[in-house]
Amino acid sequence: ALNLEPINIETFKELQTKNVKEVECGKIAKTVLNDVTVISKIINPRIVEKGFFESNYVLYDIATEQFKWLVNRRYSDFHWLRDCLISLFPAESVPKLPKKKLGNRRFEQDFIVKRQRRLQTFLDKVLQRENFKSCEPLVQFLSCPDRLFFENQMKILNPKVLAPSSIGGIRTPEGKIKVIDFESGNYVSNNNLFNNINTF
């Protein structure tokens, strides 16, 4: 829901009807995922035991049949992907991830299966959005089987580097955004700026 507390609501209602402008900006570059119904299945969760000096973790296989991709990913990789989406699309609602662990149950079978289902829900929601499918980190997440290369890509495609430095970084695949031209004195607080752009 849009929070209108920081501004004059009546002024906002009046301005939104007459001062909405379309702003042209650069189109989002498409990837192999765009314009395709992509189905990726998370399968075969397993515990990887690392020994005394490193923590154990759960590894999941992700199969994307259309492209014959098969990769394995940790929970932290899903977290990286979500951070990238948030940085690239600050006006979009990015699906949430399940909790990493629940008390001491992190490696119990029923918890692993439940988290697998929730990770699948996250991935399904991401793959339903054309904007997100234009995201290079998502392509790398689904397609790169070489772990060392993928970890290097994670460093290059750092969420902090990806974050747009201005409103112009928020755009649709068609290369347009709509903004409300507020008169001086009537403004949206910084906290709600992206929400207002996204809504109108």
Side-chain angles (χ1 to χ4, degrees):
L2 190 63
N3 181 3
L4 300 179
E5 291 177 358
I7 62 173
N8 182 307
I9 294 176
E10 291 305 316
T11 303
F12 184 87
K13 287 178 180 177
E14 181 184 344
L15 289 173
Q16 79 182 55
T17 60
K18 64 180 183 181
N19 284 1
V20 175
K21 296 180 179 180
E22 276 196 349
V23 178
E24 293 282 349
C25 52
K27 292 186 178 181
I28 294 178
K30 291 189 176 183
T31 69
V32 294
L33 302 177
N34 286 111
D35 304 322
V36 177
T37 301
V38 181
I39 300 173
S40 293
K41 293 294 180 189
I42 301 174
I43 56 176
N44 191 27
R46 58 204 180 274
I47 299 169
V48 176
E49 297 183 2
K50 294 297 289 182
F52 187 74
F53 294 104
E54 294 184 63
S55 298
N56 297 345
Y57 58 87
V58 178
L59 200 63
Y60 303 88
D61 289 339
I62 304 176
T64 307
E65 291 183 13
Q66 293 94 327
F67 302 101
K68 296 184 173 18
W69 293 337
L70 180 65
V71 298
N72 51 63
R73 297 291 179 253
R74 304 173 55 169
Y75 177 87
S76 58
D77 301 333
F78 283 88
H79 199 278
W80 165 82
L81 173 61
R82 185 172 189 272
D83 285 347
C84 288
L85 292 171
I86 289 170
S87 295
L88 282 168
F89 305 99
E92 300 280 353
S93 176
V94 179
K96 292 184 178 180
L97 287 170
K99 291 182 178 179
K100 183 173 184 179
K101 56 184 176 180
L102 188 63
N104 295 323
R105 300 189 58 227
R106 181 178 175 189
F107 297 115
E108 290 183 14
Q109 190 62 31
D110 63 331
F111 176 75
I112 291 172
V113 170
K114 188 175 182 179
R115 189 171 66 177
Q116 176 189 355
R117 285 197 303 264
R118 291 182 175 174
L119 288 172
Q120 183 69 62
T121 299
F122 164 82
L123 191 56
D124 290 344
K125 288 180 178 178
V126 166
L127 290 172
Q128 289 169 5
R129 307 271 285 280
E130 284 300 312
N131 274 14
F132 292 166
K133 289 195 300 186
S134 69
C135 170
E136 185 60 29
L138 178 59
V139 176
Q140 295 297 328
F141 178 85
L142 293 175
S143 68
C144 184
D146 185 306
R147 183 70 206 181
L148 290 176
F149 182 80
F150 177 66
E151 288 178 355
N152 189 51
Q153 289 299 103
M154 289 172 74
K155 291 174 186 175
I156 294 170
L157 300 170
N158 185 303
K160 290 180 181 176
V161 174
L162 295 172
S165 59
S166 67
I167 296 170
I170 304 168
R171 58 206 187 278
T172 66
E174 293 75 34
K176 293 182 180 179
I177 58 174
K178 289 184 178 181
V179 296
I180 302 166
D181 183 22
F182 285 92
E183 297 169 0
S184 59
N186 300 312
Y187 61 91
V188 182
S189 71
N190 289 337
N191 291 337
N192 293 299
L193 181 59
F194 292 131
N195 283 337
N196 283 287
I197 290 172
N198 188 47
T199 303
F200 297 101

